[in-house]
Amino acid sequence: MQTPVHSVTAIVVAHDGARWLRETLSAVLGQTYRPDRVVGVDNGSRDDSAKLLTQAFGPNAVVSMPRSTGFAEAVHDVMRRLPPAVQGTEWIWLIHDDCAPDPRALETLLWAADQDQKAVILGPKLRDWLDRKLLLEIGVTVARSGRRETGLEPREYDQGQHDHDTSGIRDVLSVSTAGMLIRRDVWDELSGLDPKLPLFRDDLDFCWRARAAGHRVLAVTSAMAYHAEASSRRRRRIAASDDHPRRLARRYALFVIMINLPFLAMLWSMLRNTFGSLLRTVLFLLAKQPAHALDEIVALGSVLFHPGKLRRARKARKRNRKQGYALVKPLFTPPSAAIRRIFDMIRGQLAGAGPMDSAGRHHAVSASPEEEGEELLNDDGSVLRRVFGNPGVRLCLLLTAVTVAAHWRMATGGLLGGGALVPVVGGASDLWDLYLEGEQAPYVAVLAALSTLFFGKIWLAVAVLLLGCVPLAGFSAYAATRRIIPYVPARVWLAATYALLPVATGVVAEGRLGSAVVIVLLPAYASLATRVLSDEGRPARRAAWGLGLLLAVGTAFVPLLYGFVFVLGALAALSFGGVRRGVGVSLAISLAVPILLLFPWLATFAANPTRILQEAGLPLPADPRLPPEALLTLNPGGPGTPPLWTTAGLLAVALGALLLRRHQLIVAVGWGVAIFGVLVATVVSRLSAWPGVPLAFAATGLLVCTALAAHRVAEFRKAGGWRRFGALLISLVAFATPLAAAGLWIYVGARGPLTWNIRDPLPSLAAVKSADGEGTLVLRSSGGALSYTLLRGRSLLIGESDAAAADREVTAAVAGLASGRGGQDATALAARGVLFVTVPAPIDPLLRRALDSEPALTRVILSKSLGLWRMVIPVAPPAPPPPLDSFQRGWLWAQGGLVVLVLILAAPGARPAEPEVQFEEQVAGERVLV
């Protein structure tokens, strides 16, 4: 379809591109619409580029430029020499030396230009040079952060999905200079490409100025070109600058954004990009990518610290910048894309790919093998579909619904507490102050950090950890076993069964915050331990540091956890130490990190070893007469646990896994962990301690070894016949445990001491009338036993009760006061700063009469809900605790530094692989990848 109304000049710019140039020149000269003029520019190539240009175009049509010449400057040199066309509309067709247009590309671009007189810049659809079905670009947009966006998914293949209609014309912000067709009068009007942008973003800047001037930029999907992107992929050396392409791309991205935006928008962009670049620099450092971090910060500095360049560039674009912004703004990356990038950044960080390159995509980024397939936030489509289409997220939502249905009858209106959970009061700052006193359990710092993330609300952090234990455990089990168990249905079953174990529901009912944290972290322990034993080198070391850090968190809540894991680690070192190199060192790191981070708190257990059986919260003894069948069915007993037969399905399929020939070693290891866990649980229960954590380990061993063999069920189902019936029967038996547990939990409800209707034990009158240091003695009488708590101006915080060692003199004075024996008991309490004595309901009549008979006390309030007495003798507030000495203060700072160091060592720090320097050469008439 030739037409005489157009005059086209093709300009091919080459720089060390001989490996692609031969095919590029053949494609340009083989167009169905032949260019009227062809010009070649060689930017000081050291290969055969100049020779190939001369052979194709002739010596009079080739211009030689210095090696440091940029693309824009080379085109400008040709345009200064090029006389205007005599007739027709003159067009300039820019071709890179690594860009081979389809034979009908130019004809199709000109046809698209005829359809719209305002179309002055047109570009073809770009596909990859090597994989010629792979899409690179169909027009380009940009975010206000300067990130270049193609709108394509990683490794997206061209199946016509982006061809809007039969014409294949898309209105875009920018097209690449590789194959860009420009009307010459617009080139002259806008002064062409900016020579101050020798590489990258010159196309975006030029198209932005054209759009602001009222012209249209079109991407023509029916025109195609194949682009190697040699400079951005580092397939050749860049002579126009000594900087890394990544740094150049980021620098020019920021520069183009700031010179083309209106003044107020530019100020906001400058502030936003400064903060964003600093954040990305920190993320790059955490991901152990110092080169990326340096490029990010240097690129920002090269723009901000050269205001003269910004001022001159903005002055040159002054004419249409403000008026044309309304035309350009709708073509920016939509805000939803920023949310999607946040998810991608989190996914990349967790997957070990590090933060995304802030410069943006030049091409379809290759996905690593671990990212392919069904994984969280990794399928196509919108953010909502990517999130809620994931089986793990759906399971978490389902478990959340089950938890809500089980707790909807829970009384509300007061404080969250009961069982092992002290009534939750205060805020994150109170926990930080408590921990910085230097005598609290380390889990106080962990809870303070979580409360800070939850807007300073301790009750919200505790509610999420405790009441959300079941859905969090399910999601943790699903996500952590991704590498261990690739079969998705098996992972769903494992996660659902693990989340609804009797241990988990019992934890919620009894308010055992420490055990709840361990149950959520336990799947991560299994995953990281697998990596420590199976990986080598840096991946194994990172897993070891991560395991050590999470183990320290769990040990801070449940000290027994460390002893249990230490024994398993020692057995693993003996078993695998001689098989895999470095396993012993990795295991030593995992076991040493908790000791280092929790010192000197762990050293205090030497004076009282029985404290290892306690966990975070109030002491809540377990039944020492727990029957053997309860332990064998993984049931710790107590409130909130289902009948023993609930776990029969799990035990049945776990026994069936022993009959399979495959994975015999893993099945044996799983059963070994289960047997060891049951044995430890038996000993612990006989010591009146709660056996939930050892039973959770035992259940994890059974679940993992069973789920690994679950793919055989799928094989049986496909085989048909009686094997299909057997597969159905096995599935029904396996899912009987989570279904029965969920049904019973909903039907019976979460009955237990945990409630959300606890009154503040400190009466408001006592809180108001007490001066600093003056305390309130809370007495509770139950079943003939008397307990007391000494509050000073407020209720106890979580963790404060753990550190309150029993004072023998106070205990003796309390016993004497409650017995009504008289004497100096009240005086001894007053000397300890006790101003009020309160007894919450139910009030024991004997205790009430004893307090009324005490001359040193006067009754203030007596009602059905509480009784309150006040000292009538002088009260001496105790001296404030001594300040931390230099060693304690220094250790707290060192502890914080160690946590940050371990976080950095454990963070996924796999440096994204640099693109390989690969090219094609013609060998015996065929293209060969080199």
Side-chain angles (χ1 to χ4, degrees):
M1 187 175 59
Q2 292 276 5
T3 173
V5 297
H6 298 298
S7 175
V8 180
T9 300
I11 302 177
V12 181
V13 180
H15 173 76
D16 290 343
R19 63 193 68 161
W20 309 283
L21 188 56
R22 183 179 289 106
E23 184 173 345
T24 297
L25 296 175
S26 176
V28 171
L29 297 177
Q31 292 294 302
T32 55
Y33 188 106
R34 296 292 296 273
D36 298 274
R37 293 179 290 189
V38 290
V39 180
V41 183
D42 178 57
N43 290 345
S45 299
R46 294 175 178 172
D47 57 8
D48 293 335
S49 295
K51 179 180 177 180
L52 292 174
L53 288 172
T54 303
Q55 290 175 352
F57 297 160
N60 296 329
V62 177
V63 179
S64 296
M65 301 289 290
R67 185 170 177 80
S68 60
T69 305
F71 183 84
E73 186 179 351
V75 177
H76 270 283
D77 186 80
V78 173
M79 296 301 294
R80 284 191 294 266
R81 303 168 185 244
L82 192 68
V86 178
Q87 60 180 1
T89 303
E90 184 174 4
W91 296 87
I92 307 300
W93 195 24
L94 304 182
I95 302 294
H96 294 190
D97 56 1
D98 59 346
C99 176
D102 183 78
R104 294 179 58 88
L106 180 57
E107 179 183 358
T108 307
L109 292 174
L110 292 173
W111 171 83
D114 289 335
Q115 310 305 308
D116 188 347
Q117 297 303 314
K118 287 189 175 182
V120 298
I121 303 176
L122 302 96
K125 175 196 297 182
L126 294 181
R127 290 183 179 178
D128 187 62
W129 183 278
L130 300 178
D131 189 349
R132 300 218 161 181
K133 289 291 186 180
L134 184 64
L135 283 172
L136 299 184
E137 291 181 11
I138 312 176
V140 175
T141 186
V142 68
R144 289 168 179 80
S145 63
R147 179 176 174 82
R148 189 175 190 267
E149 293 285 354
T150 64
L152 302 176
E153 295 296 327
R155 295 201 61 81
E156 183 174 348
Y157 284 90
D158 187 10
Q159 299 174 350
Q161 66 272 30
H162 296 285
D163 300 343
H164 286 188
D165 49 41
T166 55
S167 63
I169 298 176
R170 302 178 59 178
D171 202 19
V172 296
L173 174 61
S174 173
V175 293
S176 172
T177 50
M180 178 187 289
L181 185 66
I182 312 165
R183 213 168 69 194
R184 178 160 186 172
D185 60 329
V186 175
W187 173 279
D188 296 334
E189 172 192 344
L190 301 176
S191 300
L193 300 172
D194 191 347
K196 294 183 178 61
L197 300 171
L199 286 168
F200 310 130
R201 306 303 183 269
D202 49 351
D203 48 5
L204 173 62
D205 173 68
F206 181 60
C207 292
W208 189 326
R209 288 184 280 129
R211 299 285 321 199
H215 304 296
R216 295 190 67 189
V217 179
L218 301 180
V220 184
T221 59
S222 51
M224 277 187 293
Y226 304 98
H227 194 197
E229 295 184 321
S231 297
S232 63
R233 300 193 193 184
R234 298 186 68 191
R235 291 179 175 174
R236 61 176 163 201
R237 291 186 177 275
I238 297 176
S241 175
D242 294 330
D243 289 331
H244 193 284
R246 181 177 53 246
R247 183 181 302 179
L248 293 175
R250 182 58 176 159
R251 175 192 302 166
Y252 294 137
L254 293 172
F255 187 75
V256 168
I257 284 288
M258 293 183 186
I259 63 179
N260 284 289
L261 285 173
F263 181 72
L264 293 180
M266 183 270 293
L267 291 180
W268 169 243
S269 175
M270 187 177 295
L271 179 63
R272 171 178 176 170
N273 281 294
T274 300
F275 175 77
S277 292
L278 293 176
L279 177 61
R280 279 186 289 268
T281 300
V282 173
L283 291 177
F284 281 131
L285 290 174
L286 291 177
K288 298 185 268 300
Q289 299 176 22
H292 288 63
L294 181 63
D295 290 337
E296 183 74 30
I297 203 68
V298 170
L300 176 67
S302 64
V303 175
L304 296 183
F305 296 149
H306 293 85
K309 290 183 180 180
L310 280 176
R311 182 179 58 81
R312 288 189 295 270
R314 289 183 59 81
K315 184 177 180 181
R317 293 159 175 79
K318 181 178 180 181
R319 185 175 60 179
N320 298 317
R321 180 173 54 235
K322 187 173 182 180
Q323 296 80 359
Y325 183 58
L327 301 174
V328 176
K329 186 177 179 180
L331 299 172
F332 285 162
T333 302
S336 60
I339 300 176
R340 181 171 180 172
R341 283 198 300 273
I342 292 175
F343 280 99
D344 289 337
M345 181 179 294
I346 296 173
R347 182 197 68 192
Q349 187 75 10
L350 294 177
M356 293 188 306
D357 193 347
S358 55
R361 289 179 180 165
H362 282 277
H363 49 82
V365 183
S366 299
S368 65
E370 290 189 4
E371 293 175 341
E372 294 179 354
E374 177 279 318
E375 291 304 336
L376 179 61
L377 309 180
N378 200 34
D379 46 322
D380 296 338
S382 66
V383 172
L384 292 178
R385 186 163 69 248
R386 296 165 74 198
V387 173
F388 294 105
N390 181 266
V393 175
R394 291 180 178 179
L395 175 64
C396 183
L397 293 176
L398 180 61
L399 292 173
T400 302
V402 171
T403 302
V404 172
H407 286 85
W408 73 272
R409 290 186 289 266
M410 178 184 288
T412 59
L415 300 176
L416 177 64
L421 182 65
V422 65
V424 182
V425 296
S429 59
D430 297 319
L431 285 182
W432 284 120
D433 293 339
L434 179 65
Y435 182 69
L436 293 178
E437 292 179 1
E439 297 180 357
Q440 307 304 322
Y443 80 83
V444 174
V446 178
L447 197 56
L450 288 176
S451 302
T452 303
L453 296 178
F454 284 99
F455 314 104
K457 308 295 185 182
I458 301 178
W459 66 267
L460 184 57
V462 172
V464 170
L465 286 175
L466 193 55
L467 300 181
C469 171
V470 168
L472 288 177
F475 184 78
S476 172
Y478 180 86
T481 53
R482 179 189 65 181
R483 184 176 177 182
I484 304 174
I485 304 168
Y487 186 45
V488 175
R491 286 166 56 196
V492 171
W493 168 79
L494 179 148
T497 306
Y498 177 79
L500 292 166
L501 285 170
V503 174
T505 55
V507 157
V508 178
E510 297 187 19
R512 296 184 181 274
L513 180 62
S515 295
V517 172
V518 172
I519 287 174
V520 173
L521 293 179
L522 187 52
Y525 295 156
S527 175
L528 291 172
T530 302
R531 295 194 175 195
V532 168
L533 297 176
S534 61
D535 291 351
E536 295 180 357
R538 292 183 179 179
R541 293 291 187 271
R542 283 198 299 270
W545 289 108
L547 177 59
L549 180 62
L550 293 183
L551 184 58
V553 173
T555 303
F557 284 90
V558 182
L560 177 64
L561 173 69
Y562 185 79
F564 193 93
V565 174
F566 183 88
V567 175
L568 291 179
L571 294 175
L574 293 175
S575 302
F576 295 92
V579 179
R580 288 189 177 274
R581 186 178 60 181
V583 168
V585 176
S586 297
L587 289 172
I589 291 174
S590 301
L591 296 174
V593 167
I595 296 177
L596 187 64
L597 294 181
L598 301 180
F599 182 84
W601 176 72
L602 281 181
T604 62
F605 287 84
N608 187 7
T610 59
R611 287 179 53 211
I612 198 174
L613 300 176
Q614 301 175 3
E615 61 178 275
L618 298 173
L620 189 63
D623 185 3
R625 297 167 298 175
L626 192 66
E629 57 268 23
L631 295 171
L632 293 176
T633 54
L634 310 176
N635 195 318
T641 56
L644 302 183
W645 55 263
T646 307
T647 55
L650 167 60
L651 297 176
V653 293
L655 288 170
L658 292 171
L659 303 178
L660 299 177
R661 296 181 180 179
R662 300 182 187 178
H663 305 296
Q664 287 184 342
L665 177 61
I666 298 177
V667 171
V669 171
W671 269 98
V673 172
I675 294 172
F676 179 65
V678 171
L679 291 176
V680 174
T682 303
V683 175
V684 167
S685 66
R686 295 303 181 261
L687 297 175
S688 297
W690 196 63
V693 171
L695 290 179
F697 268 90
T700 302
L702 294 181
L703 286 168
V704 171
C705 71
T706 304
L708 275 171
H711 67 279
R712 294 300 304 270
V713 177
E715 296 175 3
F716 291 163
R717 181 175 55 83
K718 293 179 181 179
W722 65 270
R723 292 189 177 185
R724 172 173 292 187
F725 176 77
L728 177 61
L729 181 61
I730 293 173
S731 300
L732 291 176
V733 171
F735 278 95
T737 291
L739 293 176
L744 288 171
W745 202 29
I746 295 173
Y747 177 75
V748 177
R751 297 179 181 177
L754 183 71
T755 180
W756 212 316
N757 195 31
I758 293 182
R759 298 175 60 91
D760 193 335
L762 180 66
S764 56
L765 179 63
V768 172
K769 295 295 184 178
S770 299
D772 291 342
E774 293 178 339
T776 299
L777 183 68
V778 182
L779 301 179
R780 294 183 179 87
S781 179
S782 177
L786 181 70
S787 62
Y788 73 92
T789 306
L790 184 57
L791 307 179
R792 299 195 180 275
R794 56 169 173 76
S795 298
L796 289 178
L797 297 172
I798 293 181
E800 200 168 13
S801 59
D802 301 350
D807 189 319
R808 293 184 179 181
E809 295 183 5
V810 172
T811 302
V814 169
L817 182 68
S819 65
R821 68 186 179 189
Q824 300 298 314
D825 297 318
T827 304
L829 292 174
R832 298 299 179 105
V834 176
L835 179 62
F836 289 95
V837 178
T838 183
V839 181
I843 302 176
D844 188 343
L846 295 177
L847 179 60
R848 174 181 58 79
R849 286 196 293 269
L851 295 177
D852 284 337
S853 65
E854 174 57 52
L857 293 175
T858 181
R859 185 198 298 172
V860 179
I861 297 174
L862 183 61
S863 65
K864 293 182 179 180
S865 59
L866 65 90
L868 182 65
W869 290 261
R870 178 170 180 165
M871 292 284 184
V872 296
I873 60 177
V875 174
L884 296 178
D885 58 32
S886 57
F887 172 78
Q888 290 175 312
R889 190 180 299 107
W891 175 249
L892 288 177
W893 281 104
Q895 193 177 46
L898 288 173
V899 171
V900 173
L901 177 61
V902 175
L903 275 172
I904 294 175
L905 294 173
R911 183 185 180 92
E914 296 285 358
E916 294 184 9
V917 179
Q918 52 186 352
F919 53 91
E920 291 180 345
E921 290 185 350
Q922 295 288 338
V923 178
E926 295 184 0
R927 225 173 28 244
V928 178
L929 179 63
V930 180

